[in-house]
């Protein structure tokens, strides 16, 4: 499949058309950003790591019958995905307090939440006002988010990793089917080593705790040994 016109440039990836309108080419970039783009760095090897990690996770979720846009990995830093209409929502699922949740509610990071908490960035009423998603779709997105949380929590537990929280984005197919899109990687999850609570995710970059490439490599190696 050939890479054609560039259709989207994000913080960490570029999307291209292919000769098939139903398929997009994704290129993961060697770029890290934080603080709404105020902090930005070239990080050699990050694109290949996130492409491989996301590919393994999306394949695992497909085996668990969780619908997603992934088609196949075509090179170290590229993959093919199904073209979908993106729902302009960030859906965050939290199992433990951390990050903005801890800050906002003054709850110590690492505090276990009694049940997973789902947050939408848009507010739920605004979603309907703006016609971002229908009420029925919101119900479906919440169910999908919990299903993904369960599958991911179990997967990471096998890797001796605690899934603290993560962000997902959802796409809508032409047939109005909702499916998981975007990526799932240490850029979009908080992953703590189960024994040491060491951060195995982008907080290493956000909080300037060290180099991220060895940390993302560690997550990839654990995923490869689990499969
Ligand atoms: P938060 O605690 O900063 O709200 O982040 C919650 C989770 O969502 C965390 O795993 C990081 C992820 N996230 C993204 O992937 N993209 C974003 O733009 C933000 C704000 C969070």
């Amino acid at each position: 499949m050939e890479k054609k016109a560039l259709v989207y440039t994000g913080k960490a990836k570029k999307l291209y058309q292919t000769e098939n309108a139903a398929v997009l080419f994704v290129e993961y970039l060697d770029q890290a950003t934080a603080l709404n783009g105020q902090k930005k760095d070239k990080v050699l090897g990050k694109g290949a790591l996130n492409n491989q990690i996301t590919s393994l996770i999306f394949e695992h979720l497909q085996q668990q019958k969780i619908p997603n846009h992934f088609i196949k990995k075509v090179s170290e830093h590229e993959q093919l995905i199904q073209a979908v209409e993106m729902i302009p929502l960030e859906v965050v699922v939290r199992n433990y307090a951390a990050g903005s949740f801890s800050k906002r509610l003054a709850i110590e990071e690492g505090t276990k939440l009694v049940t997973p908490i789902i947050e939408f960035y848009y507010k739920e009423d605004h979603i309907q006002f703006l016609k971002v998603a229908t009420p029925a779709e919101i119900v479906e997105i919440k169910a999908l988010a919990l299903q993904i949380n369960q599958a991911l929590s179990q997967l990471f537990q096998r890797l001796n990793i605690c899934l603290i929280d993560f962000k997902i984005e959802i796409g809508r197919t032409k047939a109005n089917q909702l499916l998981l899109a975007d990526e799932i990687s240490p850029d979009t999850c908080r992953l703590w080593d189960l024994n040491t609570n060491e951060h195995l995710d982008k907080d290493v970059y956000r909080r300037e705790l060290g180099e991220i490439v060895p940390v993302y490599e560690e997550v990839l190696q654990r995923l490869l040994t689990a499969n």
Side-chain angles (χ1 to χ4, degrees), residues 90-184:
E90 297 205 332
V91 183
V92 171
V93 182
R94 300 181 190 272
N95 295 308
Y96 291 78
S100 68
F101 182 90
S102 285
K103 231 181 228 166
R104 198 177 329 127
L105 304 178
I107 296 177
E108 196 185 341
E109 288 204 310
T111 306
K112 187 163 178 35
L113 305 176
V114 179
T115 57
I117 289 179
I118 302 177
E119 295 171 354
F120 289 104
Y121 291 89
Y122 285 125
K123 294 198 174 12
E124 199 159 338
D125 287 347
H126 295 181
I127 294 166
Q128 279 152 41
F129 172 71
L130 294 170
K131 298 196 167 42
V132 169
T134 66
E137 282 179 332
I138 293 301
V139 170
E140 197 179 327
I141 290 171
K142 281 183 174 172
L144 188 59
L146 290 177
Q147 211 187 341
I148 292 165
N149 184 38
Q150 197 168 27
L152 286 182
S153 295
Q154 281 168 4
L155 171 67
F156 282 119
Q157 171 119 24
R158 283 203 278 129
L159 312 183
N160 213 33
I161 288 173
C162 178
L163 177 63
I164 299 290
D165 59 31
F166 61 96
K167 183 267 302 179
I168 50 171
E169 294 184 29
I170 307 291
R172 189 190 284 122
T173 66
K174 287 216 164 71
N176 279 333
Q177 188 206 1
L178 297 183
L179 44 79
L180 172 65
D182 195 46
E183 71 177 274
I184 296 181

Side-chain angles (χ1 to χ4, degrees), residues 14-68:
K14 286 183 175 176
L15 300 189
Y16 299 83
Q17 286 172 343
T18 65
E19 61 269 31
N20 180 345
V23 177
L24 293 176
F25 214 106
V26 187
E27 181 187 337
Y28 279 75
L29 307 175
D30 282 343
Q31 198 154 282
T33 60
L35 307 169
N36 276 326
Q38 285 171 47
K39 184 170 156 69
K40 187 171 167 182
D41 289 285
K42 187 170 170 61
V43 181
L44 220 60
K46 176 175 174 285
L49 285 164
N50 272 354
N51 182 45
Q52 290 174 84
I53 292 170
T54 297
S55 297
L56 287 169
I57 291 176
F58 275 58
E59 274 168 5
H60 175 79
L61 293 176
Q62 280 177 354
Q63 284 159 15
Q64 307 282 309
K65 309 269 180 272
I66 293 175
N68 64 60

